[in-house]
Structure formats: C-alpha cells, structure tokens
C-alpha cells in the first residue's frame, strides 16, 4: 500500500469487500456469541441445551458450505488480496467444521465429569474453528499471523481448561511457552521476508511484500538471497511446530496428556491439519522458488519425524501420550506427501485424503478414550482397556477399527491414505523417504496392536504379584448422539477403504 | 560497536568517544539490535527456570520483531510494517492476558512458578 492513501480511497476499498465470501466464518462468529449470550440470558435449567445449540449450529453451517461448495469466489482473491479462495480452502473449511462438531460431541461426554463452566468451551471451539478456516484461506502474512494467533491463544485456554487439575494447567503452561516461542520465531521470519522483499535495491522488489503472490514473485527473482532463505526457514519452523514435526515435537506428549480429551483430539486433528493446509500453501506455492533449500530440510525432517514418532510411541503406557507420538509419525507420512507434491502435483490430493482418513480414525479412537477415562482425564493407561471388548463390544469394535485404520491395515481408509502417499512418493522418486515410511508403518503396527490386544484380552500380571485387577475408572455409558457419530466414523473408515467414489476422484485428479 | 564504544568511554576522553560514533544510524544498526534482542529472548526462554522471566523473554522476542518491522518499513518506504506492528502488539496483549491467567491459576494450585518443580506430567 503506498503511503499516500487518502480517506476516500480507503472507503472505496472497504466498500469493495465481498463479505459473502466469508459467510461461514461470519456465521460461526454469530454462533459463538449466541452460545455465550444464551448462557447469560437463559435460566439455569435450560443450560443443558448449549451443546445442542453449538452442534446443530455447526451442522447447519457445514451443510451450507457443502451446498455452496463451488462458490462464485473460487480461484479468486477477496478483501484486497487478504484471502484466496480455492478448492483446497473449501475442503479445509468442511474438514474444520467436521472436526469442530466431533470435538463438541466429545466435550458433551468429558465435560460432564468436571466442575468447569460449559458454555465457554463451545464458544472457544467455534471461534478457533472460524480462525482455522480463515488461516487455510489466507493469502497475506498479516491475515495469516492474526488467524494463527487466534487459534493459538484459543488453544492456550482450551488446553488448561480443567483448571482444578494440575496436569491440565501444566500442559497449558507448556503449550503456552513453547507455542509462543514458535510464534515469535515465525513472526521474525515474516518480518525478515517483508524487509528483504521490499528492499528496492534488489531485483523484483515489491511494495506489497506481505502478499503471498508478490512475495513469490520476489523469491523467484532472488532464490539465493540469504536473508530470504533464513526468513522462509523460520516461518516453516513455526509451521513445523503446529504439525509436530521433529525437532519441534517436544511439546506434544506432555500437552496431549494434560489437555482434556476433546482438546487433545482437536489439537491432534484440527491443529495438525491447519499446519498442513498452511504448509501446502507456503512450501508448495509461496516458497517454491526456494525449493533447493527447502526440499532437503523437509526431507530430513520427514525421516526424523517418522522414526522418532514411532520409536517413542513404542514405550508409552499412557494412551494420550501414545496418540500424540503416533500422531507425530502421521505428520511424517504427510510430510512425505508434501515433498512428493513438488514433482507430482496430484500428491496434494493424497495429502487431503490422508487427512480425512486420519480424522475419521482418530476421532473414533478419541471417542472411545473419552468414554473409558475417568474423572482424572490425564490418567488413561493401557491397563484401563483390559477386557474392554468383552464388557463393551461396541466400544471395542470402534476402537479396533480406528486403531486398524491408523495403523494402515487393509482394507481400511488409513491404508488407502498411506498407499496413495506411497504411490506418489514412488512416482516422485523419493526412495529413501519411502523406505523410512515403510519401516515406520511396520513399527507402528506393533504398538497399535498392543493396544488392540489390551482391549481384547484380560490384563495379565506377572505371576507372584497381587492377583487383584488394577483399579480403573468406570466406563461411561454411550449416549445416543455420540454413539451415532461413532458408528458413522467407524463406517466411514471402512467404506472409504473400499470405495473412494467421486470424493477420491475429485481429490486425486484436480 | 557497542563494546568498542563503552570501552572508549572508559579509556579515552569523552569527546573522542563521541567522534567514533557512526555518522548516521542505518538499517543495519536496527537489525543488529533486533537480532540481539531476539537472541537474548530466545536463550532466555531456553535457559531460565522462572516462568515469569521466561514470559518476559517471550515478550522480548516479539519486541525484537516489532523493532525490525518498523525499521524495515522506514527503510523500504512502505507502511505495511508499521500497520503490522499494531497487530503484533494486539496479539501480544491477548497472549499476556491468557498467559498470566494460566500462571496465576497454576500458582494457586501448586504454589510455585519454577519450571523444574512442575512435574505432574512426568510419566
């Protein structure tokens, strides 16, 4: 923007804003206010309606986005190039709305057991969802940073939401410090890129250096500029923190364990997917001219992430930590897909498919975890699952399908996701990465099946120890809406494995 | 530059020290200062053990970015950097509000703000 912007030209820009382009996000903001207002105004006896309002509101908005999937704004910029609307952005919108609905459903199970306020939780989930949707469509670093920080600050509160639990607060503090650290690193990267790209002494300098398109043009003219490379690496380090890639994975086990189970699920699926949506925009589009530096960095990161995640998950006894560390390895497989997309553009579709399969499988497992865990949400051990399948066949089946899909057992959806990514990695000639990924999958089968075995067989103690069963929390009864969601998640995992249909065609042939 | 300046103050007459100052403060000086602030903040976060000091160091890192943004904005002749600073300050304020709330809640529960004493999540 030139310095001599007059008031009237600002007014012109403001009048040209097409608010209809962000209707879903505006509706989410309205819904968030409605949830809070409802709690203030309506008598206590009706407060049980709050989750229902939040979930049905989200479902209606999801339906609206689904109907208007091919909006008139597709492949267009709005808000003076702050936002860019694309197929991928629309997919992520649907993805995040789906995530939010499932998180709210899990919250109805978990929050019941805790002495905490309810309405604010749903409010925050809705606000974060809106920010995630804007983040996946951002086309300008100011928009990007503000959306990212809205997500992050919201998550600080959600992670430490059980404020009477030391584990939750400590998890929150750890997330706060490490996430703020990564945000500061990312911010410094943005400022460096802005400073270099606007330097008029360099060829291709741009007056609009925070705009993704203009920045890409500058980087194409100066692919070897040292400061620009440093800036890009710093920005990607901030994104790598969100997806939990090595060496930025150290926060994951503690924060996942301390956070309430629905929030753990939100972090594992929503936050990670947002990281990948952003990574696809930044690494593949904006920073593409720098791929000589970025591809080796991302490749080393992918191998380290896959191996570390799987090896660290082997020794875990707490299922939340196990989900966190196995989630690290899933980030590694997804990174392989992103790297493959440099040579095989269709691999982007494989990444989206993998994310969808990961969502279905993860939420199936987290839903079971929400029912098995007791009043101490941080204490969820493998022993608590002993004999689950015999006592609760429904929970046991859903757990087995979810874990099987995560492990990549054919014919479940997780298998198809991995297969697609591996095919594209093979086509792109990434044999080293492919080897690491296959080794990772083999290791992961061990601990996923350890969990399934724990659920399908009685807990065995070493002889000589006391024969008594370990104390374990009472399993919550499965209510109707959650049970329906679990059936849908499990069925989705099975069906997507056999039949991808128009969705698969759309994803992998764009 | 900073070190040579301070040593010259101690060993030479003040007039001499003043003449050794750069004629004009340019973009590089701002960037050097910004990088130093960022490094102090970064290592402070990694090395200090008191939560509040760690939090101060995080804010220092954000300030370093702010300083660099303003310096670049002036150097490049575009206003984006200055505008961005308002967003950074707003975000930092939100972060402090939530962060201090978490620290206070944790202090009420555990009666400590030392990081090495927060061990509920060691498995």
């Amino acid at each position: 923007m030139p310095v001599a912007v007059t008031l009237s030209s600002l007014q012109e820009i403001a009048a040209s804003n097409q608010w209809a382009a962000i209707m879903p996000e505006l509706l989410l903001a309205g819904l968030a206010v409605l949830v809070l207002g409802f709690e203030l105004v309506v008598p206590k006896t009706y407060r049980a309606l709050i989750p229902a309002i939040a979930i049905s509101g989200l479902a209606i908005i999801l339906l609206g986005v689904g109907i208007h999937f091919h909006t008139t704004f597709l492949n267009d910029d709005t808000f003076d190039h702050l936002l860019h609307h694309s197929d991928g952005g629309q997919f992520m919108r649907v993805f995040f709305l789906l995530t939010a609905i499932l998180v709210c459903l899990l919250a109805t199970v978990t929050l019941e057991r805790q002495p905490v306020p309810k309405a604010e939780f749903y409010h925050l989930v809705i606000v974060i969802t809106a920010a995630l949707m804007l983040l996946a469509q951002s086309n300008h670093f100011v928009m990007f940073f503000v959306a990212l920080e809205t997500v992050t600050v919201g998550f600080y509160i959600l992670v430490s939401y059980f404020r009477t639990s030391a584990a939750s607060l400590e998890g929150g503090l750890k997330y706060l410090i490490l996430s703020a650290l990564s945000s500061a690193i990312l911010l410094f990267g943005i400022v460096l890129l802005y400073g270099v790209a606007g330097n008029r002494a360099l060829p291709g300098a741009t007056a609009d250096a925070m705009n993704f398109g203009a920045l890409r043009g500058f980087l194409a003219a100066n692919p070897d500029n040292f400061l620009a490379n440093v800036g890009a690496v710093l920005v990607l380090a901030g994104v790598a923190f969100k997806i939990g890639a090595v060496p930025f994975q150290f926060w994951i086990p503690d924060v996942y364990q301390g956070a309430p189970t629905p929030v753990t699920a939100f972090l594992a699926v929503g936050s990670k997917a947002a990281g990948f949506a952003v990574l696809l925009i930044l690494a593949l589009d904006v920073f593409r001219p720098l791929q000589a530096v970025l591809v080796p960095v991302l490749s080393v990161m992918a191998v380290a992430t896959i191996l570390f995640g799987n090896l660290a998950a082997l020794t875990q006894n707490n299922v939340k930590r196990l989900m966190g560390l196995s989630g690290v390895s899933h980030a590694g497989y997804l990174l392989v897909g992103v790297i493959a997309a440099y040579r095989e553009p269709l691999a982007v579709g494989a990444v989206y498919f993998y994310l969808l399969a990961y969502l279905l499988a993860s939420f199936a497992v987290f839903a079971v975890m929400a029912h098995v865990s007791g009043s101490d949400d941080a204490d969820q051990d493998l022993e608590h699952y002993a004999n689950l399948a015999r006592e609760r066949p429904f929970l046991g089946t859903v757990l087995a399908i979810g874990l099987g899909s995560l492990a990549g057992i054919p014919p479940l959806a997780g298998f198809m996701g991995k297969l697609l990514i591996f095919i594209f990695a093979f086509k792109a000639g990434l044999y080293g990465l492919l080897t690491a990924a296959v080794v990772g999958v083999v290791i992961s089968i061990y601990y996923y099946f350890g969990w399934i075995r724990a659920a399908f067989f009685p807990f065995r103690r070493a002889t000589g120890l006391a024969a008594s069963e370990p104390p374990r929390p009472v399993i919550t009864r499965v209510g109707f809406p959650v049970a329906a969601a679990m059936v849908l998640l499990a069925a989705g995992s099975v069906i997507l494995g056999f039949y991808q249909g128009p969705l698969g065609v759309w994803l992998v042939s764009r | 530059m900073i070190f040579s300046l301070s040593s010259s103050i101690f060993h030479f007459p003040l007039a001499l020290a003043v003449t050794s100052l750069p004629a004009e403060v340019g973009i590089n000086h701002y960037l050097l200062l910004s990088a130093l602030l960022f490094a102090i903040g970064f290592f402070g976060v990694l090395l200090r053990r008191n939560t509040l000091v760690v939090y101060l160091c995080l804010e220092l890192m954000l300030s370093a970015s702010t300083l660099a943004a303003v310096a670049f904005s002036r150097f490049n002749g575009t206003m984006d950097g200055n505008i961005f600073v308002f967003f950074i300050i707003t975000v930092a304020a939100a972060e402090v509000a939530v962060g201090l709330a978490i620290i206070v809640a944790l202090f009420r529960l555990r009666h400590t703000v030392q990081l090495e004493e927060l061990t509920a999540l060691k498995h």
Side-chain angles (χ1 to χ4, degrees):
Chain A
M1 237 187 281
V3 179
V5 181
T6 60
L7 189 62
S8 65
S9 72
L10 276 177
Q11 280 169 336
E12 263 171 44
I13 292 173
S16 73
N17 286 344
Q18 289 165 300
W19 292 95
I22 55 162
M23 193 47 87
E25 287 83 357
L26 293 176
L27 288 174
L28 279 176
L31 181 64
V33 174
L34 179 74
V35 167
L36 269 195
F38 190 83
E39 209 224 8
L40 279 179
V41 175
V42 173
K44 268 188 179 169
T45 42
Y46 291 102
R47 287 206 184 141
L49 286 175
I50 288 172
I53 292 173
I55 292 168
S56 50
L58 284 165
I60 290 167
I61 296 170
L62 175 63
L63 196 70
V65 174
I67 290 171
H68 295 285
F69 194 85
H70 299 286
T71 59
T72 48
F73 303 104
L74 268 189
N75 302 317
D76 215 355
D77 291 352
T78 52
F79 293 91
D80 201 21
H81 306 289
L82 280 185
L83 295 175
H84 177 75
H85 304 278
S86 63
D87 278 357
Q90 290 291 86
F91 176 81
M92 290 320 290
R93 270 179 166 176
V94 172
F95 186 95
F96 291 135
L97 283 169
L98 217 60
T99 310
I101 292 173
L102 292 165
V103 169
C104 289
L105 277 171
L106 293 195
T108 58
V109 179
T110 307
L111 289 192
E112 281 310 308
R113 295 191 288 260
Q114 301 289 338
V116 287
K118 309 285 186 288
E120 287 84 347
F121 189 94
Y122 300 99
H123 172 83
L124 284 168
V125 169
I126 294 166
V127 169
I128 291 177
T129 308
L132 285 170
M133 286 158 70
L134 287 175
L135 180 64
Q137 303 176 82
S138 57
N139 191 43
H140 191 279
F141 267 127
V142 174
M143 183 72 232
F144 172 83
F145 181 71
V146 172
L148 188 79
E149 286 303 301
T150 312
V151 173
T152 312
V153 173
F155 267 121
Y156 296 158
I157 310 174
L158 285 188
V159 170
S160 43
Y161 200 76
F162 291 168
R163 61 174 185 228
T164 48
S165 144
S168 181
L169 281 175
E170 275 184 30
L173 183 70
K174 274 180 186 157
Y175 187 65
L176 171 75
I177 291 174
L178 296 172
S179 186
L181 181 70
S182 88
S183 295
I185 292 172
L186 179 128
L187 181 65
F188 204 69
I190 293 177
V191 169
L192 279 184
L193 282 171
Y194 159 72
V196 180
N199 187 346
R200 276 172 284 183
L202 294 171
T206 163
D208 195 8
M210 299 235 201
N211 183 284
F212 285 177
L215 182 62
R216 188 193 163 162
F218 169 82
L219 292 176
N222 309 273
D224 301 323
N225 187 297
F226 176 69
L227 271 187
N229 275 294
V230 172
V233 169
L234 289 182
V235 170
L236 288 185
V239 177
F241 178 89
K242 288 276 166 261
I243 62 179
V246 173
F248 304 100
Q249 89 301 346
F250 41 80
W251 60 281
I252 283 195
D254 282 353
V255 173
Y256 276 38
Q257 188 193 349
T261 306
V263 180
T264 312
F266 204 6
L267 275 174
V269 179
S271 183
K272 201 179 290 267
F276 275 100
V278 165
L279 192 66
L280 287 174
I281 297 172
L282 289 180
L284 289 182
D285 186 31
V286 185
F287 297 156
R288 187 181 270 273
L290 308 179
Q291 57 173 300
V293 174
L294 295 186
V295 170
V297 170
L298 288 176
S299 302
V300 171
M301 210 183 246
V303 172
T305 306
I306 291 170
L307 295 181
F308 175 86
N310 282 315
L311 290 175
L314 279 179
T315 58
Q316 297 302 323
N317 199 38
N318 183 300
V319 292
K320 275 170 136 181
R321 298 179 83 93
L322 188 124
M323 279 306 279
L325 288 162
S326 79
V328 169
S329 70
H330 286 288
Y333 307 135
L334 283 159
L335 270 178
V336 173
V338 173
I339 298 165
Y342 273 108
R343 280 183 217 157
E344 293 283 331
L346 295 183
V348 173
V351 171
Y352 285 140
F353 185 84
Y354 194 103
L355 282 174
L356 190 63
Y358 179 70
L359 174 138
L360 295 171
S362 295
F363 270 104
V365 175
F366 278 116
V368 176
M369 283 165 64
H371 287 94
V372 174
S373 74
S375 56
D376 183 1
D377 207 61
D379 177 37
Q380 302 187 27
D381 286 343
L382 278 177
E383 285 95 65
H384 299 173
Y385 286 78
N387 232 356
L388 179 75
R390 194 158 309 158
E391 291 168 21
R392 299 296 183 100
F394 175 66
L395 289 180
T397 314
V398 173
L399 182 74
I401 292 175
L403 288 176
S405 184
L406 283 177
I409 304 302
L412 297 168
F415 169 73
M416 284 311 293
K418 285 199 172 72
L419 186 67
L420 282 174
I421 282 190
F422 290 0
I423 288 173
F424 281 113
F426 184 76
K427 272 187 176 174
L430 306 169
Y431 304 117
L433 288 179
L434 200 55
T435 317
V438 172
V439 170
V441 171
V442 172
I443 301 173
S444 76
I445 289 175
Y446 177 80
Y447 58 80
Y448 282 130
F449 273 68
W451 192 349
I452 294 180
R453 195 190 56 203
F456 276 78
F457 296 101
F459 181 71
R460 275 192 314 233
R461 284 194 166 253
T463 47
L465 287 172
S468 63
E469 285 276 300
R472 68 178 212 197
V474 182
I475 298 171
T476 314
R477 210 179 62 82
V478 189
F480 167 68
V482 185
M486 286 164 84
V487 169
L488 286 178
L489 287 170
S493 286
V494 174
I495 292 167
L496 265 185
F498 285 111
Y499 173 74
Q500 292 78 42
L503 175 77
V505 173
W506 179 78
L507 279 176
V508 186
S509 67
R510 281 179 305 132
Chain B
M1 187 51 74
I2 294 165
F3 297 109
S4 66
L5 180 66
S6 59
S7 62
S8 59
I9 288 173
F10 287 116
H11 295 294
F12 298 103
L14 194 62
L16 209 66
V18 171
T19 52
S20 72
L21 274 171
E24 175 177 306
V25 180
I27 180 79
N28 287 331
H29 301 97
Y30 283 109
L31 289 188
L32 185 69
L33 178 61
S34 162
L36 273 175
L37 278 177
F38 190 81
I40 292 170
F42 183 75
F43 287 108
V45 172
L46 295 188
L47 301 176
R48 298 302 293 263
R49 285 286 159 261
N50 184 308
T51 311
L52 291 168
V53 178
V54 167
Y55 217 64
L56 281 175
C57 292
L58 285 170
E59 295 304 313
L60 204 58
M61 289 171 78
L62 290 182
S63 303
S65 303
T66 309
L67 179 65
V70 174
F72 276 132
S73 182
R74 172 93 174 145
F75 182 70
N76 294 340
T78 52
M79 282 303 283
D80 291 24
N82 279 317
I83 305 291
F84 194 28
V85 166
F86 289 115
F87 287 96
I88 299 174
I89 292 173
T90 314
V91 162
E95 221 167 52
V96 167
V98 173
L100 287 181
I102 291 175
I103 293 172
V104 167
L106 192 64
F107 182 76
R108 281 194 187 154
L109 207 65
R110 301 290 310 275
H111 303 290
T112 177
V113 289
Q114 296 296 321
L115 283 177
E116 68 267 17
E117 288 169 33
L118 300 174
T119 51
L121 292 170
K122 287 276 155 55
H123 60 116

